[in-house]
Amino acid sequence: MNGMAKRVLITGGAGFIGSHLADALLAEGAKVRVLDALVPQVHGAGRKRPSYLHPKAELIVGDAGNLPVVTRCLKNVDVVVHFAAAVGVGQSMYEIASYVASNTQATANLLQVLSRKKHKVRKLIVASSMSIYGEGAYRCARCGPLASAFRADASLMAKQWEMACPSCSTPAAAVPTPETKALDPSSIYAITKRDQEEMCLCVGRAYGLPTVALRFFNVYGERQALSNPYTGVAAIFASRLLNGQPPLIYEDGRQSRDFVHVSDVVQAVLLAIRKPDADYQALNVGTGRATAVNDVAVVLAKSLGRAIQPKILKTFRAGDIRHCVADITKITDRLGYRPQVSFEEGMTRLTAWLCSQKPKDRTARAASQLTVRGLVR
Ligand code: NAD
C-alpha cells in the first residue's frame, strides 16, 4: 500500500504501543478504530477506557478473536495492525491455554474473517517479537558462528551464565541477530508470537494481502503498564523503585537486551504501512545496541533519584535467554528505518512520565508464582 492510510484498525490499540501508534496515525489525518478487550491485568479491574487513549480514537471493547465483532470492526478499514496479545513470558508458562487462546486462536479467527474478501483491507501488520529467536546469535572466536545456542540446566545450576561454544567450550560472544537466524522459541508466549507471525504471513501471501511481521525487541516508554508484573523490564523495575523496593534481577544482571523506545517502534510501523518494500517479510525492530539488564535498574534508580541498588538473585528462570540484540540492517535497507531515541534520552523521557505515576508493585507475587511451580531455580 503506497502512501497514507485512511482508516486503520488497531487490535490491542488501547495498550502501550497501540495507543502511541493511534496518536501518530491521527496526527497524520488517518481515522483510527481500536478493538481492545481491556484486559484487567493491563488496564485494571474497572476496564475503563484508558485516559491516555486519544479522544478521536474510536474504541470498540471486544475480543480480537470474536468473529462477529471483528467483522463489524473491519467495516471501511484499509489497514489492520494486529497488536492484541497476552504479553508475558513467565506467566505464559503456567497460563498456557489462555495464552494460546488470546494469541494463536484469536489471530486464527481474525485471519478467518480477512480470508473472506468482503472487506477493503489492503495491508496487514502484525506485532511479532524477538522472543521467537530464543537465544540471539553468537560467535566463537575459534570455531566461528554457533549453529545453535543453548544453556544446559547443569551450567545454569553451577551459575555459569554465559554461553559456551558447544565444540570447544570457550565463551561465545553475542553478535547482532539477523532475521535469518533459526527460530527457537523458549516459552509458550514466544511460540504464540511465532504462530501469529507465521499465520499472518501465510494467509497474506495466499490471498495477496500485503502483510508485514515486525519483530519488536524490548520496547519501553511512557504508558507501559506499571502495575502489570509480567511484562516490560523497565516498567517492572520502575514500579519497584517508586515503591521504595529494589528491582529483582535474575542471574547476575549482565544478561543483555536491545531496548527500543516506543516512538521508534511507531516509526517502524508507519514505514511498513506506507511503503511496499517490506511486504510479506519479517523484520527486526530494535536499535542494534545491547544494554545489560543491571544497567537499566541502575540508570532508572539514578534518574528517579532513588538510592536503591538492584537485588541480584543469582537464580534463573526456565526458558530465559542470555543475550539478544537486533541486527537492523534489513529494516534500514528496505524501509529507511533509523532509531532516533538513544537509551539515555528514552530513559529521561520515561522518568519524566514516571514521576506522575503511582504504580502498585506486584513483582513479589509474580515471582512467587514462578517459584512455586519450580520455574525459578
Ligand atoms: P499491552 O499489554 O500494553 O497491549 C496489548 C493490548 O491488547 C492490551 O490493551 C490488551 O487489553 C489487549 N488484548 C489482549 N488480548 C486481547 C484480545 N484477545 N482481544 C483484544 N484485545 C486484547 O502490550 P504492548 O506492549 O503494547 O504489546 C503490543 C504488541 O506488541 C503485542 O502483540 C506484543 O506481543 C508485542 N510485543 C511487545 C513487546 C514489548 O516489549 N512491549 C515486545 C515484542 C512484541
Side-chain angles (χ1 to χ4, degrees), residues 111-133:
L111 292 170
Q112 189 70 53
V113 178
L114 284 172
S115 71
R116 284 184 197 144
K117 295 265 180 196
K118 279 191 186 157
H119 57 75
K120 298 182 181 134
V121 178
R122 296 292 166 263
K123 190 101 176 201
L124 170 63
I125 311 285
V126 60
S128 182
S129 163
M130 52 74 78
S131 64
I132 70 177
Y133 290 119

mmCIF file with all atom_site columns, all heavy atoms in Angstrom, residues 111-133:
data_model
loop_
_atom_site.group_PDB
_atom_site.id
_atom_site.type_symbol
_atom_site.label_atom_id
_atom_site.label_alt_id
_atom_site.label_comp_id
_atom_site.label_asym_id
_atom_site.label_entity_id
_atom_site.label_seq_id
_atom_site.pdbx_PDB_ins_code
_atom_site.Cartn_x
_atom_site.Cartn_y
_atom_site.Cartn_z
_atom_site.occupancy
_atom_site.B_iso_or_equiv
_atom_site.pdbx_formal_charge
_atom_site.auth_seq_id
_atom_site.auth_comp_id
_atom_site.auth_asym_id
_atom_site.auth_atom_id
_atom_site.pdbx_PDB_model_num
ATOM 1   N N   . LEU A 1 111 ? -7.859  -13.883 11.015 1.00 0.00 ? 111 LEU A N   1
ATOM 2   C CA  . LEU A 1 111 ? -7.474  -14.250 9.642  1.00 0.00 ? 111 LEU A CA  1
ATOM 3   C C   . LEU A 1 111 ? -8.622  -14.932 8.907  1.00 0.00 ? 111 LEU A C   1
ATOM 4   O O   . LEU A 1 111 ? -8.770  -14.790 7.691  1.00 0.00 ? 111 LEU A O   1
ATOM 5   C CB  . LEU A 1 111 ? -6.226  -15.145 9.665  1.00 0.00 ? 111 LEU A CB  1
ATOM 6   C CG  . LEU A 1 111 ? -4.953  -14.432 10.132 1.00 0.00 ? 111 LEU A CG  1
ATOM 7   C CD1 . LEU A 1 111 ? -3.818  -15.423 10.364 1.00 0.00 ? 111 LEU A CD1 1
ATOM 8   C CD2 . LEU A 1 111 ? -4.518  -13.362 9.112  1.00 0.00 ? 111 LEU A CD2 1
ATOM 9   N N   . GLN A 1 112 ? -9.418  -15.667 9.657  1.00 0.00 ? 112 GLN A N   1
ATOM 10  C CA  . GLN A 1 112 ? -10.601 -16.299 9.052  1.00 0.00 ? 112 GLN A CA  1
ATOM 11  C C   . GLN A 1 112 ? -11.490 -15.226 8.412  1.00 0.00 ? 112 GLN A C   1
ATOM 12  O O   . GLN A 1 112 ? -11.951 -15.369 7.287  1.00 0.00 ? 112 GLN A O   1
ATOM 13  C CB  . GLN A 1 112 ? -11.384 -17.047 10.147 1.00 0.00 ? 112 GLN A CB  1
ATOM 14  C CG  . GLN A 1 112 ? -12.509 -17.909 9.647  1.00 0.00 ? 112 GLN A CG  1
ATOM 15  C CD  . GLN A 1 112 ? -11.992 -19.128 8.898  1.00 0.00 ? 112 GLN A CD  1
ATOM 16  O OE1 . GLN A 1 112 ? -11.171 -19.867 9.418  1.00 0.00 ? 112 GLN A OE1 1
ATOM 17  N NE2 . GLN A 1 112 ? -12.443 -19.298 7.682  1.00 0.00 ? 112 GLN A NE2 1
ATOM 18  N N   . VAL A 1 113 ? -11.694 -14.139 9.145  1.00 0.00 ? 113 VAL A N   1
ATOM 19  C CA  . VAL A 1 113 ? -12.531 -13.045 8.631  1.00 0.00 ? 113 VAL A CA  1
ATOM 20  C C   . VAL A 1 113 ? -11.827 -12.375 7.442  1.00 0.00 ? 113 VAL A C   1
ATOM 21  O O   . VAL A 1 113 ? -12.452 -12.100 6.409  1.00 0.00 ? 113 VAL A O   1
ATOM 22  C CB  . VAL A 1 113 ? -12.836 -12.017 9.750  1.00 0.00 ? 113 VAL A CB  1
ATOM 23  C CG1 . VAL A 1 113 ? -13.671 -10.873 9.201  1.00 0.00 ? 113 VAL A CG1 1
ATOM 24  C CG2 . VAL A 1 113 ? -13.559 -12.688 10.915 1.00 0.00 ? 113 VAL A CG2 1
ATOM 25  N N   . LEU A 1 114 ? -10.516 -12.140 7.573  1.00 0.00 ? 114 LEU A N   1
ATOM 26  C CA  . LEU A 1 114 ? -9.787  -11.473 6.483  1.00 0.00 ? 114 LEU A CA  1
ATOM 27  C C   . LEU A 1 114 ? -9.743  -12.318 5.214  1.00 0.00 ? 114 LEU A C   1
ATOM 28  O O   . LEU A 1 114 ? -9.633  -11.795 4.115  1.00 0.00 ? 114 LEU A O   1
ATOM 29  C CB  . LEU A 1 114 ? -8.354  -11.143 6.927  1.00 0.00 ? 114 LEU A CB  1
ATOM 30  C CG  . LEU A 1 114 ? -8.223  -9.941  7.870  1.00 0.00 ? 114 LEU A CG  1
ATOM 31  C CD1 . LEU A 1 114 ? -6.796  -9.821  8.413  1.00 0.00 ? 114 LEU A CD1 1
ATOM 32  C CD2 . LEU A 1 114 ? -8.608  -8.648  7.146  1.00 0.00 ? 114 LEU A CD2 1
ATOM 33  N N   . SER A 1 115 ? -9.851  -13.634 5.362  1.00 0.00 ? 115 SER A N   1
ATOM 34  C CA  . SER A 1 115 ? -9.776  -14.505 4.180  1.00 0.00 ? 115 SER A CA  1
ATOM 35  C C   . SER A 1 115 ? -11.062 -14.450 3.344  1.00 0.00 ? 115 SER A C   1
ATOM 36  O O   . SER A 1 115 ? -11.094 -14.946 2.226  1.00 0.00 ? 115 SER A O   1
ATOM 37  C CB  . SER A 1 115 ? -9.512  -15.950 4.614  1.00 0.00 ? 115 SER A CB  1
ATOM 38  O OG  . SER A 1 115 ? -10.672 -16.476 5.237  1.00 0.00 ? 115 SER A OG  1
ATOM 39  N N   . ARG A 1 116 ? -12.095 -13.820 3.917  1.00 0.00 ? 116 ARG A N   1
ATOM 40  C CA  . ARG A 1 116 ? -13.382 -13.832 3.199  1.00 0.00 ? 116 ARG A CA  1
ATOM 41  C C   . ARG A 1 116 ? -13.509 -12.783 2.102  1.00 0.00 ? 116 ARG A C   1
ATOM 42  O O   . ARG A 1 116 ? -14.501 -12.752 1.404  1.00 0.00 ? 116 ARG A O   1
ATOM 43  C CB  . ARG A 1 116 ? -14.520 -13.644 4.212  1.00 0.00 ? 116 ARG A CB  1
ATOM 44  C CG  . ARG A 1 116 ? -14.783 -14.911 4.981  1.00 0.00 ? 116 ARG A CG  1
ATOM 45  C CD  . ARG A 1 116 ? -15.965 -14.740 5.896  1.00 0.00 ? 116 ARG A CD  1
ATOM 46  N NE  . ARG A 1 116 ? -15.959 -15.792 6.887  1.00 0.00 ? 116 ARG A NE  1
ATOM 47  C CZ  . ARG A 1 116 ? -16.330 -15.651 8.144  1.00 0.00 ? 116 ARG A CZ  1
ATOM 48  N NH1 . ARG A 1 116 ? -16.741 -14.467 8.579  1.00 0.00 ? 116 ARG A NH1 1
ATOM 49  N NH2 . ARG A 1 116 ? -16.307 -16.653 8.968  1.00 0.00 ? 116 ARG A NH2 1
ATOM 50  N N   . LYS A 1 117 ? -12.568 -11.881 2.030  1.00 0.00 ? 117 LYS A N   1
ATOM 51  C CA  . LYS A 1 117 ? -12.525 -10.909 0.914  1.00 0.00 ? 117 LYS A CA  1
ATOM 52  C C   . LYS A 1 117 ? -13.587 -9.816  0.972  1.00 0.00 ? 117 LYS A C   1
ATOM 53  O O   . LYS A 1 117 ? -13.492 -8.854  0.224  1.00 0.00 ? 117 LYS A O   1
ATOM 54  C CB  . LYS A 1 117 ? -12.639 -11.603 -0.456 1.00 0.00 ? 117 LYS A CB  1
ATOM 55  C CG  . LYS A 1 117 ? -11.473 -12.500 -0.782 1.00 0.00 ? 117 LYS A CG  1
ATOM 56  C CD  . LYS A 1 117 ? -10.460 -11.750 -1.607 1.00 0.00 ? 117 LYS A CD  1
ATOM 57  C CE  . LYS A 1 117 ? -9.285  -12.651 -1.943 1.00 0.00 ? 117 LYS A CE  1
ATOM 58  N NZ  . LYS A 1 117 ? -8.129  -11.952 -2.399 1.00 0.00 ? 117 LYS A NZ  1
ATOM 59  N N   . LYS A 1 118 ? -14.620 -9.981  1.827  1.00 0.00 ? 118 LYS A N   1
ATOM 60  C CA  . LYS A 1 118 ? -15.658 -8.937  1.835  1.00 0.00 ? 118 LYS A CA  1
ATOM 61  C C   . LYS A 1 118 ? -15.219 -7.776  2.722  1.00 0.00 ? 118 LYS A C   1
ATOM 62  O O   . LYS A 1 118 ? -15.855 -7.457  3.716  1.00 0.00 ? 118 LYS A O   1
ATOM 63  C CB  . LYS A 1 118 ? -16.969 -9.510  2.362  1.00 0.00 ? 118 LYS A CB  1
ATOM 64  C CG  . LYS A 1 118 ? -17.737 -10.269 1.317  1.00 0.00 ? 118 LYS A CG  1
ATOM 65  C CD  . LYS A 1 118 ? -19.123 -10.573 1.817  1.00 0.00 ? 118 LYS A CD  1
ATOM 66  C CE  . LYS A 1 118 ? -19.838 -11.458 0.826  1.00 0.00 ? 118 LYS A CE  1
ATOM 67  N NZ  . LYS A 1 118 ? -20.905 -12.217 1.436  1.00 0.00 ? 118 LYS A NZ  1
ATOM 68  N N   . HIS A 1 119 ? -14.099 -7.218  2.371  1.00 0.00 ? 119 HIS A N   1
ATOM 69  C CA  . HIS A 1 119 ? -13.573 -6.077  3.140  1.00 0.00 ? 119 HIS A CA  1
ATOM 70  C C   . HIS A 1 119 ? -12.652 -5.313  2.217  1.00 0.00 ? 119 HIS A C   1
ATOM 71  O O   . HIS A 1 119 ? -12.346 -5.765  1.103  1.00 0.00 ? 119 HIS A O   1
ATOM 72  C CB  . HIS A 1 119 ? -12.833 -6.571  4.391  1.00 0.00 ? 119 HIS A CB  1
ATOM 73  C CG  . HIS A 1 119 ? -11.723 -7.528  4.076  1.00 0.00 ? 119 HIS A CG  1
ATOM 74  N ND1 . HIS A 1 119 ? -10.528 -7.121  3.542  1.00 0.00 ? 119 HIS A ND1 1
ATOM 75  C CD2 . HIS A 1 119 ? -11.633 -8.878  4.190  1.00 0.00 ? 119 HIS A CD2 1
ATOM 76  C CE1 . HIS A 1 119 ? -9.759  -8.168  3.355  1.00 0.00 ? 119 HIS A CE1 1
ATOM 77  N NE2 . HIS A 1 119 ? -10.410 -9.254  3.722  1.00 0.00 ? 119 HIS A NE2 1
ATOM 78  N N   . LYS A 1 120 ? -12.185 -4.137  2.718  1.00 0.00 ? 120 LYS A N   1
ATOM 79  C CA  . LYS A 1 120 ? -11.336 -3.297  1.860  1.00 0.00 ? 120 LYS A CA  1
ATOM 80  C C   . LYS A 1 120 ? -9.895  -3.257  2.364  1.00 0.00 ? 120 LYS A C   1
ATOM 81  O O   . LYS A 1 120 ? -9.136  -2.348  1.999  1.00 0.00 ? 120 LYS A O   1
ATOM 82  C CB  . LYS A 1 120 ? -11.903 -1.876  1.845  1.00 0.00 ? 120 LYS A CB  1
ATOM 83  C CG  . LYS A 1 120 ? -13.309 -1.801  1.278  1.00 0.00 ? 120 LYS A CG  1
ATOM 84  C CD  . LYS A 1 120 ? -13.786 -0.357  1.247  1.00 0.00 ? 120 LYS A CD  1
ATOM 85  C CE  . LYS A 1 120 ? -15.201 -0.301  0.700  1.00 0.00 ? 120 LYS A CE  1
ATOM 86  N NZ  . LYS A 1 120 ? -16.093 0.543   1.463  1.00 0.00 ? 120 LYS A NZ  1
ATOM 87  N N   . VAL A 1 121 ? -9.529  -4.223  3.207  1.00 0.00 ? 121 VAL A N   1
ATOM 88  C CA  . VAL A 1 121 ? -8.189  -4.189  3.807  1.00 0.00 ? 121 VAL A CA  1
ATOM 89  C C   . VAL A 1 121 ? -7.122  -4.408  2.739  1.00 0.00 ? 121 VAL A C   1
ATOM 90  O O   . VAL A 1 121 ? -7.201  -5.350  1.943  1.00 0.00 ? 121 VAL A O   1
ATOM 91  C CB  . VAL A 1 121 ? -8.062  -5.255  4.927  1.00 0.00 ? 121 VAL A CB  1
ATOM 92  C CG1 . VAL A 1 121 ? -6.655  -5.242  5.520  1.00 0.00 ? 121 VAL A CG1 1
ATOM 93  C CG2 . VAL A 1 121 ? -9.101  -5.004  6.013  1.00 0.00 ? 121 VAL A CG2 1
ATOM 94  N N   . ARG A 1 122 ? -6.113  -3.517  2.725  1.00 0.00 ? 122 ARG A N   1
ATOM 95  C CA  . ARG A 1 122 ? -5.046  -3.589  1.731  1.00 0.00 ? 122 ARG A CA  1
ATOM 96  C C   . ARG A 1 122 ? -3.679  -3.804  2.363  1.00 0.00 ? 122 ARG A C   1
ATOM 97  O O   . ARG A 1 122 ? -2.671  -3.896  1.665  1.00 0.00 ? 122 ARG A O   1
ATOM 98  C CB  . ARG A 1 122 ? -5.008  -2.290  0.887  1.00 0.00 ? 122 ARG A CB  1
ATOM 99  C CG  . ARG A 1 122 ? -6.258  -2.072  0.048  1.00 0.00 ? 122 ARG A CG  1
ATOM 100 C CD  . ARG A 1 122 ? -6.376  -3.113  -1.075 1.00 0.00 ? 122 ARG A CD  1
ATOM 101 N NE  . ARG A 1 122 ? -7.702  -3.108  -1.638 1.00 0.00 ? 122 ARG A NE  1
ATOM 102 C CZ  . ARG A 1 122 ? -8.680  -3.938  -1.314 1.00 0.00 ? 122 ARG A CZ  1
ATOM 103 N NH1 . ARG A 1 122 ? -8.489  -4.874  -0.390 1.00 0.00 ? 122 ARG A NH1 1
ATOM 104 N NH2 . ARG A 1 122 ? -9.873  -3.876  -1.867 1.00 0.00 ? 122 ARG A NH2 1
ATOM 105 N N   . LYS A 1 123 ? -3.645  -3.854  3.695  1.00 0.00 ? 123 LYS A N   1
ATOM 106 C CA  . LYS A 1 123 ? -2.366  -4.089  4.383  1.00 0.00 ? 123 LYS A CA  1
ATOM 107 C C   . LYS A 1 123 ? -2.623  -4.650  5.767  1.00 0.00 ? 123 LYS A C   1
ATOM 108 O O   . LYS A 1 123 ? -3.552  -4.210  6.458  1.00 0.00 ? 123 LYS A O   1
ATOM 109 C CB  . LYS A 1 123 ? -1.622  -2.755  4.523  1.00 0.00 ? 123 LYS A CB  1
ATOM 110 C CG  . LYS A 1 123 ? -0.205  -2.900  4.990  1.00 0.00 ? 123 LYS A CG  1
ATOM 111 C CD  . LYS A 1 123 ? 0.704   -2.782  3.790  1.00 0.00 ? 123 LYS A CD  1
ATOM 112 C CE  . LYS A 1 123 ? 2.150   -2.822  4.091  1.00 0.00 ? 123 LYS A CE  1
ATOM 113 N NZ  . LYS A 1 123 ? 2.939   -2.222  3.012  1.00 0.00 ? 123 LYS A NZ  1
ATOM 114 N N   . LEU A 1 124 ? -1.787  -5.617  6.124  1.00 0.00 ? 124 LEU A N   1
ATOM 115 C CA  . LEU A 1 124 ? -1.871  -6.202  7.466  1.00 0.00 ? 124 LEU A CA  1
ATOM 116 C C   . LEU A 1 124 ? -0.486  -6.131  8.097  1.00 0.00 ? 124 LEU A C   1
ATOM 117 O O   . LEU A 1 124 ? 0.505   -6.577  7.510  1.00 0.00 ? 124 LEU A O   1
ATOM 118 C CB  . LEU A 1 124 ? -2.334  -7.659  7.375  1.00 0.00 ? 124 LEU A CB  1
ATOM 119 C CG  . LEU A 1 124 ? -2.261  -8.501  8.654  1.00 0.00 ? 124 LEU A CG  1
ATOM 120 C CD1 . LEU A 1 124 ? -3.182  -7.945  9.749  1.00 0.00 ? 124 LEU A CD1 1
ATOM 121 C CD2 . LEU A 1 124 ? -2.633  -9.970  8.344  1.00 0.00 ? 124 LEU A CD2 1
ATOM 122 N N   . ILE A 1 125 ? -0.436  -5.544  9.287  1.00 0.00 ? 125 ILE A N   1
ATOM 123 C CA  . ILE A 1 125 ? 0.824   -5.505  10.053 1.00 0.00 ? 125 ILE A CA  1
ATOM 124 C C   . ILE A 1 125 ? 0.595   -6.326  11.313 1.00 0.00 ? 125 ILE A C   1
ATOM 125 O O   . ILE A 1 125 ? -0.425  -6.139  11.996 1.00 0.00 ? 125 ILE A O   1
ATOM 126 C CB  . ILE A 1 125 ? 1.187   -4.062  10.489 1.00 0.00 ? 125 ILE A CB  1
ATOM 127 C CG1 . ILE A 1 125 ? 1.112   -3.066  9.330  1.00 0.00 ? 125 ILE A CG1 1
ATOM 128 C CG2 . ILE A 1 125 ? 2.537   -4.027  11.204 1.00 0.00 ? 125 ILE A CG2 1
ATOM 129 C CD1 . ILE A 1 125 ? 2.210   -3.112  8.337  1.00 0.00 ? 125 ILE A CD1 1
ATOM 130 N N   . VAL A 1 126 ? 1.524   -7.218  11.636 1.00 0.00 ? 126 VAL A N   1
ATOM 131 C CA  . VAL A 1 126 ? 1.373   -7.995  12.876 1.00 0.00 ? 126 VAL A CA  1
ATOM 132 C C   . VAL A 1 126 ? 2.593   -7.768  13.763 1.00 0.00 ? 126 VAL A C   1
ATOM 133 O O   . VAL A 1 126 ? 3.729   -7.736  13.285 1.00 0.00 ? 126 VAL A O   1
ATOM 134 C CB  . VAL A 1 126 ? 1.156   -9.505  12.572 1.00 0.00 ? 126 VAL A CB  1
ATOM 135 C CG1 . VAL A 1 126 ? 2.303   -10.124 11.801 1.00 0.00 ? 126 VAL A CG1 1
ATOM 136 C CG2 . VAL A 1 126 ? 0.914   -10.279 13.870 1.00 0.00 ? 126 VAL A CG2 1
ATOM 137 N N   . ALA A 1 127 ? 2.300   -7.606  15.071 1.00 0.00 ? 127 ALA A N   1
ATOM 138 C CA  . ALA A 1 127 ? 3.396   -7.460  16.047 1.00 0.00 ? 127 ALA A CA  1
ATOM 139 C C   . ALA A 1 127 ? 3.952   -8.832  16.345 1.00 0.00 ? 127 ALA A C   1
ATOM 140 O O   . ALA A 1 127 ? 3.288   -9.668  16.949 1.00 0.00 ? 127 ALA A O   1
ATOM 141 C CB  . ALA A 1 127 ? 2.871   -6.818  17.328 1.00 0.00 ? 127 ALA A CB  1
ATOM 142 N N   . SER A 1 128 ? 5.186   -9.068  15.902 1.00 0.00 ? 128 SER A N   1
ATOM 143 C CA  . SER A 1 128 ? 5.882   -10.276 16.295 1.00 0.00 ? 128 SER A CA  1
ATOM 144 C C   . SER A 1 128 ? 6.861   -9.893  17.410 1.00 0.00 ? 128 SER A C   1
ATOM 145 O O   . SER A 1 128 ? 6.760   -8.792  17.977 1.00 0.00 ? 128 SER A O   1
ATOM 146 C CB  . SER A 1 128 ? 6.584   -10.888 15.080 1.00 0.00 ? 128 SER A CB  1
ATOM 147 O OG  . SER A 1 128 ? 7.224   -12.083 15.439 1.00 0.00 ? 128 SER A OG  1
ATOM 148 N N   . SER A 1 129 ? 7.790   -10.764 17.732 1.00 0.00 ? 129 SER A N   1
ATOM 149 C CA  . SER A 1 129 ? 8.631   -10.494 18.903 1.00 0.00 ? 129 SER A CA  1
ATOM 150 C C   . SER A 1 129 ? 10.006  -11.129 18.757 1.00 0.00 ? 129 SER A C   1
ATOM 151 O O   . SER A 1 129 ? 10.159  -12.217 18.176 1.00 0.00 ? 129 SER A O   1
ATOM 152 C CB  . SER A 1 129 ? 7.921   -11.064 20.125 1.00 0.00 ? 129 SER A CB  1
ATOM 153 O OG  . SER A 1 129 ? 8.808   -11.202 21.196 1.00 0.00 ? 129 SER A OG  1
ATOM 154 N N   . MET A 1 130 ? 10.996  -10.472 19.370 1.00 0.00 ? 130 MET A N   1
ATOM 155 C CA  . MET A 1 130 ? 12.348  -11.047 19.405 1.00 0.00 ? 130 MET A CA  1
ATOM 156 C C   . MET A 1 130 ? 12.374  -12.368 20.158 1.00 0.00 ? 130 MET A C   1
ATOM 157 O O   . MET A 1 130 ? 13.291  -13.168 19.992 1.00 0.00 ? 130 MET A O   1
ATOM 158 C CB  . MET A 1 130 ? 13.350  -10.069 20.044 1.00 0.00 ? 130 MET A CB  1
ATOM 159 C CG  . MET A 1 130 ? 12.978  -9.504  21.390 1.00 0.00 ? 130 MET A CG  1
ATOM 160 S SD  . MET A 1 130 ? 13.120  -10.608 22.813 1.00 0.00 ? 130 MET A SD  1
ATOM 161 C CE  . MET A 1 130 ? 14.872  -10.570 23.083 1.00 0.00 ? 130 MET A CE  1
ATOM 162 N N   . SER A 1 131 ? 11.361  -12.597 20.995 1.00 0.00 ? 131 SER A N   1
ATOM 163 C CA  . SER A 1 131 ? 11.350  -13.835 21.799 1.00 0.00 ? 131 SER A CA  1
ATOM 164 C C   . SER A 1 131 ? 11.301  -15.076 20.911 1.00 0.00 ? 131 SER A C   1
ATOM 165 O O   . SER A 1 131 ? 11.682  -16.163 21.352 1.00 0.00 ? 131 SER A O   1
ATOM 166 C CB  . SER A 1 131 ? 10.161  -13.827 22.763 1.00 0.00 ? 131 SER A CB  1
ATOM 167 O OG  . SER A 1 131 ? 8.954   -13.834 22.028 1.00 0.00 ? 131 SER A OG  1
ATOM 168 N N   . ILE A 1 132 ? 10.875  -14.940 19.662 1.00 0.00 ? 132 ILE A N   1
ATOM 169 C CA  . ILE A 1 132 ? 10.764  -16.127 18.801 1.00 0.00 ? 132 ILE A CA  1
ATOM 170 C C   . ILE A 1 132 ? 12.136  -16.688 18.419 1.00 0.00 ? 132 ILE A C   1
ATOM 171 O O   . ILE A 1 132 ? 12.246  -17.832 18.007 1.00 0.00 ? 132 ILE A O   1
ATOM 172 C CB  . ILE A 1 132 ? 9.901   -15.889 17.534 1.00 0.00 ? 132 ILE A CB  1
ATOM 173 C CG1 . ILE A 1 132 ? 10.584  -14.962 16.536 1.00 0.00 ? 132 ILE A CG1 1
ATOM 174 C CG2 . ILE A 1 132 ? 8.539   -15.351 17.923 1.00 0.00 ? 132 ILE A CG2 1
ATOM 175 C CD1 . ILE A 1 132 ? 9.779   -14.782 15.246 1.00 0.00 ? 132 ILE A CD1 1
ATOM 176 N N   . TYR A 1 133 ? 13.196  -15.883 18.587 1.00 0.00 ? 133 TYR A N   1
ATOM 177 C CA  . TYR A 1 133 ? 14.539  -16.390 18.287 1.00 0.00 ? 133 TYR A CA  1
ATOM 178 C C   . TYR A 1 133 ? 15.033  -17.357 19.360 1.00 0.00 ? 133 TYR A C   1
ATOM 179 O O   . TYR A 1 133 ? 15.943  -18.138 19.109 1.00 0.00 ? 133 TYR A O   1
ATOM 180 C CB  . TYR A 1 133 ? 15.555  -15.243 18.207 1.00 0.00 ? 133 TYR A CB  1
ATOM 181 C CG  . TYR A 1 133 ? 15.376  -14.349 16.995 1.00 0.00 ? 133 TYR A CG  1
ATOM 182 C CD1 . TYR A 1 133 ? 15.088  -13.001 17.134 1.00 0.00 ? 133 TYR A CD1 1
ATOM 183 C CD2 . TYR A 1 133 ? 15.514  -14.868 15.713 1.00 0.00 ? 133 TYR A CD2 1
ATOM 184 C CE1 . TYR A 1 133 ? 14.932  -12.176 16.025 1.00 0.00 ? 133 TYR A CE1 1
ATOM 185 C CE2 . TYR A 1 133 ? 15.355  -14.051 14.597 1.00 0.00 ? 133 TYR A CE2 1
ATOM 186 C CZ  . TYR A 1 133 ? 15.066  -12.710 14.759 1.00 0.00 ? 133 TYR A CZ  1
ATOM 187 O OH  . TYR A 1 133 ? 14.913  -11.905 13.663 1.00 0.00 ? 133 TYR A OH  1
#
